[in-house]
C-alpha cells in the first residue's frame, strides 16, 4: 500500500493550488493598502523621469503587508523602466553588516562574477559600485527589510555609506526603502545619518477583522467552490488574525491549515471546528520550535516552573522555582547557575511568551515575583524533555515527589 494514498484529498476538489495561501505567494491585489501603495508610487514617481526620489521608511506590526506591498510596488516600477532601474532587496536579518549588504548590492547590480564574496575592502566595493552605476546609467532602489536589525547590530551610522550611494552628488538617482516594526527606529539613528535621510514615513496599520476577511476571501474563492466552506469559518480566521494585532499572515496560515486538516479527515466542508483545530496546531508548532531552540539551562528553568506550578497551582515564587531548578540540575549532572542567572533566564522565557510573571507585594517584606506558564503544561514538558541532555528527567511524571523527596 502506498502510504500517501490517504492523502488523496477526495473530500475537497480544489479549483486552484493551495500555494496561494503560502508565504511565498505574491498577490497582485492588496485590499486596504491602496493609500500606502499610492503614497509609495508618488514618492518613487520621480525616478520615472530620472530624478531623485525621497527615501521611505515603512512602519507597521508583523503581517501588515510591508514586505509584500514593497515587492509589489518596486516590481511595478521595474516594469515601467526595466532598463533604467535596479532594485536590490535585502533582508537585514540575513545580511546584517554594511559589508555583506554592500557586496550583495554590488553583485545584484553589476553581476556576481565581478565582485568576490570577500577580500575587497568596503571602500573598494563602494567605489566600484558607484562607478558601475554611473557607467550604466542605472537608478537604484535599495530595500532594507527589518532595517532595525542592521542598526541594532552595527550602530546608528551603519546606513551612512548606503545613503551615500543614492546621493545626488554622485550623479545617481536612487532611494532607500527601510522597513521596520520599531516605531522608534528613526530616533535611534545617528544625527549624521538622520540629516541625510530626508525621508517620508508610511504607516501600515493593523488590519481589523472585516479587512482581513476582504484579504482572505479572494484567495479562498480562487481555490474552493463556495459550498466547500462555511462563511463563518472565514470570518473566524479573520477574527483570530485581528486579535493577533491585525496580522494577515496569521489569518492566511489559519485558513491554509484548516483546509489541510479538513482534507486529511476527508471531510466535506471547512467549518469553525477546523479553524479552531488549525489554531491549536499552529500554536503548538510555534511553542515547540521556541522551546527546541532554548539553551539547556533555560529548559531546566522552564521545567522547574512547570513542576512548581503543579505543586503551587496559584503561582510559584522565584525562590521555589530556584529550589526545584537546583534539584533538577543535580539529577542531570549539570552545575546549577546563580540565582541572578536564573532570573535572566526567567526574563527570557517571559519575552518568548512561555511564562508570565506578576509582582506581588509582601508588605514590609518587600515584593516577590509570581510565575506561571502560559501554555499547556504537558506539551511544554514534553518539548523541553526532547533535549538529549535532559533524557534522565524523562521519568518525571508525578511531580509532587519533588516536594516530598528531599534527597533528589
Ligand atoms: N492587503 C493585503 N492583501 C493581500 N494579502 C496581504 C495583504 N497584507 C498582507 N498580505 C499577505 O499577508 C502576508 C504577510 O504580509 P507581509 O509579509 O508583507 O507582512 P510584513 O508587514 O512584512 O510582516 P513582518 O513585519 O512580519 O515582516 C503575506 O502573505 C501577504 O501576501
Ligand atoms: Mg516583512
Amino acid at each position: 500500500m502506498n502510504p500517501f494514498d490517504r492523502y488523496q484529498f477526495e473530500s475537497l476538489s480544489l479549483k486552484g493550488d493551495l500555494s496561494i495561501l503560502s508565504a511565498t505567494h505574491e498577490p497582485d491585489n492588496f485590499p486596504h493598502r491602496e493609500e500606502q501603495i499610492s503614497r509609495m508610487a508618488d514618492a518613487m514617481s520621480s525616478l520615472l523621469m530620472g530624478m531623485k526620489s525621497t527615501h521611505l521608511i515603512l512602519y507597521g506590526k508583523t503581517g501588515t503587508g510591508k514586505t509584500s506591498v514593497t515587492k509589489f510596488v518596486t516590481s511595478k516600477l521595474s516594469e515601467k523602466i526595466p532598463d533604467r532601474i535596479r532594485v536590490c532587496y535585502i533582508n537585514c536579518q540575513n545580511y546584517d553588516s554594511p559589508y555583506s549588504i554592500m557586496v550583495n548590492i554590488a553583485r545584484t547590480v553589476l553581476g556576481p562574477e565581478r565582485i568576490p564574496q570577500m577580500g575587497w575592502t568596503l571602500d573598494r566595493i563602494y567605489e566600484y559600485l558607484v562607478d558601475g552605476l554611473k557607467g550604466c546609467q542605472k537608478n537604484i532602489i535599495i530595500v532594507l527589510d527589518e532595517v532595525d536589525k542592521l542598526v541594532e547590530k552595527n550602530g546608528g551610522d551603519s546606513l551612512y555609506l548606503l545613503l551615500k550611494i543614492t546621493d545626488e552628488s554622485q550623479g545617481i538617482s536612487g532611494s532607500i526603502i527601510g522597513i521596520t516594526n520599531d516605531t522608534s527606529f528613526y530616533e535611534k539613528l545617528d544625527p549624521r545619518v538622520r540629516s541625510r535621510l530626508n525621508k517620508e514615513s508610511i504607516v501600515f496599520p493593523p488590519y481589523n477583522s472585516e479587512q482581513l476577511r476582504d484579504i482572505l476571501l479572494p484567495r479562498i474563492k480562487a481555490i474552493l467552490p463556495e459550498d466547500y466552506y462555511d462563511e463563518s469559518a472565514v470570518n473566524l480566521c479573520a477574527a483570530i488574525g485581528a486579535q493577533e494585532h491585525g496580522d494577515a499572515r496569521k489569518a492566511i496560515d489559519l485558513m491554509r491549515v484548516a483546509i489541510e486538516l479538513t482534507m486529511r479527515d476527508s471531510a466535506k466542508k471547512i467549518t469553525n471546528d477546523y479553524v479552531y483545530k488549525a489554531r491549536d496546531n499552529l500554536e503548538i508548532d510555534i511553542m515547540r520550535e521556541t522551546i527546541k531552540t532554548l539553551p539547556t539551562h533555560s529548559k531546566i528553568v522552564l521545567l522547574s516552573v512547570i513542576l512548581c506550578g503543579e505543586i503551587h497551582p496559584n503561582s510559584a515564587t522565584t525562590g521555589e522555582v530556584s529550589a526545584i531548578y537546583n534539584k533538577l540540575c543535580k539529577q542531570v549532572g549539570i552545575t546549577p547557575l546563580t540565582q541572578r542567572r536564573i532570573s535572566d533566564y526567567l526574563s527570557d522565557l517571559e519575552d518568548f511568551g512561555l511564562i508570565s510573571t506578576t509582582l506581588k507585594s509582601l508588605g514590609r517584606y518587600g515584593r516577590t515575583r509570581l510565575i506561571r506558564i502560559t501554555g499547556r503544561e504537558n506539551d511544554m514538558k514534553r518539548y523541553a524533555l526532547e533535549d538529549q541532555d535532559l533524557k534522565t528527567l524523562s521519568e518525571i511524571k508525578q511531580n509532587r515527589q519533588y516536594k516530598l523527596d528531599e534527597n533528589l
Side-chain angles (χ1 to χ4, degrees):
M1 186 194 132
N2 186 326
F4 293 99
D5 282 350
R6 67 194 178 99
Y7 300 108
Q8 287 291 309
F9 305 144
E10 274 156 6
S11 60
L12 301 174
S13 49
L14 297 183
K15 287 198 285 181
D17 190 341
L18 251 191
S19 66
I20 203 170
L21 294 170
S22 77
T24 49
H25 175 70
E26 293 184 358
D28 51 13
N29 185 26
F30 291 87
H32 306 289
R33 284 297 173 247
E34 295 79 8
E35 187 197 327
Q36 287 76 6
I37 291 173
S38 139
R39 282 185 59 195
M40 288 174 77
D42 263 354
M44 284 186 248
S45 59
S46 48
L47 288 170
L48 293 173
M49 284 142 334
M51 277 152 33
K52 194 173 162 54
S53 139
T54 37
H55 303 300
L56 292 172
I57 301 187
L58 313 183
Y59 294 97
K61 292 203 167 146
T62 189
T64 52
K66 303 177 298 296
T67 301
S68 42
V69 164
T70 304
K71 287 188 172 169
F72 170 75
V73 176
T74 50
S75 76
K76 292 290 159 194
L77 180 69
S78 302
E79 268 176 29
K80 284 274 176 209
I81 41 171
D83 303 328
R84 286 192 281 129
I85 191 106
R86 279 283 173 274
V87 178
C88 302
Y89 172 85
I90 288 155
N91 189 324
C92 302
Q93 181 101 342
N94 307 330
Y95 296 93
D96 59 2
S97 70
Y99 186 86
S100 61
I101 291 176
M102 196 67 81
V103 170
N104 197 298
I105 296 172
R107 294 181 129 220
T108 308
V109 173
L110 306 172
E113 64 291 345
R114 290 176 59 189
I115 293 103
Q117 199 63 266
M118 50 191 144
W120 286 16
T121 63
L122 185 58
D123 284 343
R124 181 165 176 206
I125 301 169
Y126 171 79
E127 299 292 339
Y128 199 75
L129 172 64
V130 170
D131 285 348
L133 282 168
K134 278 187 202 158
C136 64
Q137 291 291 300
K138 295 259 196 279
N139 304 318
I140 184 167
I141 292 184
I142 305 171
V143 180
L144 298 172
D145 205 344
E146 318 220 17
V147 63
D148 44 303
K149 303 279 180 333
L150 173 71
V151 174
E152 211 171 87
K153 184 146 183 243
N154 302 280
D157 69 349
S158 48
L159 284 176
Y160 189 76
L161 215 50
L162 296 173
L163 279 164
K164 242 173 94 183
I165 301 176
T166 63
D167 202 319
E168 260 166 330
S169 60
Q170 305 283 353
I172 300 167
S173 325
S175 83
I176 288 193
I177 304 179
I179 304 180
T180 178
N181 292 319
D182 180 0
T183 44
S184 61
F185 165 73
Y186 188 68
E187 278 67 50
K188 287 182 190 156
L189 294 175
D190 197 276
R192 195 167 65 125
V193 171
R194 248 190 280 171
S195 73
R196 254 178 204 261
L197 192 60
N198 60 334
K199 48 91 201 178
E200 182 175 336
S201 303
I202 301 182
V203 176
F204 284 59
Y207 296 112
N208 62 31
S209 60
E210 281 87 56
Q211 292 172 330
L212 288 176
R213 197 172 156 271
D214 296 341
I215 291 170
L216 276 177
L217 263 181
R219 297 201 194 198
I220 295 166
K221 285 192 169 147
I223 47 175
L224 285 176
E226 259 173 36
D227 48 342
Y228 282 17
Y229 58 90
D230 277 344
E231 218 178 295
S232 64
V234 182
N235 294 345
L236 184 58
C237 290
I240 296 173
Q243 267 168 20
E244 301 261 337
H245 47 252
D247 182 346
R249 185 181 297 117
K250 176 85 181 194
I252 294 168
D253 281 351
L254 271 175
M255 190 34 102
R256 192 192 61 254
V257 177
I259 295 175
E260 285 167 358
L261 293 174
T262 311
M263 288 171 143
R264 234 175 269 169
D265 275 4
S266 302
K268 298 263 177 269
K269 203 166 197 183
I270 296 138
T271 57
N272 286 4
D273 279 350
Y274 281 107
V275 176
Y276 284 125
K277 276 190 200 157
R279 182 181 63 177
D280 289 348
N281 272 25
L282 283 170
E283 273 167 15
I284 286 172
D285 275 2
I286 293 167
M287 183 172 52
R288 185 178 190 168
E289 282 309 303
T290 313
I291 294 177
K292 209 164 106 186
T293 53
L294 296 175
T296 304
H297 269 295
S298 180
K299 286 179 191 156
I300 303 178
V301 174
L302 179 64
L303 280 169
S304 311
V305 177
I306 298 169
L307 295 176
C308 220
E310 291 173 0
I311 300 164
H312 309 280
N314 296 326
S315 291
T317 63
T318 321
E320 288 157 351
V321 170
S322 302
I324 292 191
Y325 164 83
N326 285 326
K327 289 177 185 176
L328 291 179
C329 283
K330 200 166 160 193
Q331 195 174 340
V332 289
I334 293 180
T335 314
L337 299 171
T338 58
Q339 178 70 45
R340 197 197 165 114
R341 295 289 309 282
I342 298 174
S343 292
D344 290 344
Y345 277 123
L346 285 170
S347 302
D348 289 348
L349 292 174
E350 189 167 16
D351 287 346
F352 285 127
L354 294 170
I355 63 170
S356 71
T357 68
T358 42
L359 277 176
K360 185 184 171 197
S361 166
L362 300 176
R364 62 199 173 96
Y365 298 106
R367 291 185 304 177
T368 186
R369 215 158 36 141
L370 294 180
I371 308 159
R372 279 190 306 115
I373 54 162
T374 52
R376 275 187 295 242
E377 58 192 41
N378 283 338
D379 293 331
M380 283 191 159
K381 205 192 288 179
R382 202 170 66 244
Y383 301 145
L385 289 172
E386 282 172 4
D387 191 311
Q388 283 298 316
D389 293 337
L390 301 181
K391 261 199 169 140
T392 46
L393 293 180
S394 51
E395 291 305 305
I396 304 179
K397 284 197 188 89
Q398 207 16 288
N399 323 295
R400 289 180 201 287
Q401 82 187 73
Y402 282 87
K403 191 178 177 194
L404 304 173
D405 182 1
E406 290 303 324
N407 297 324
L408 259 173

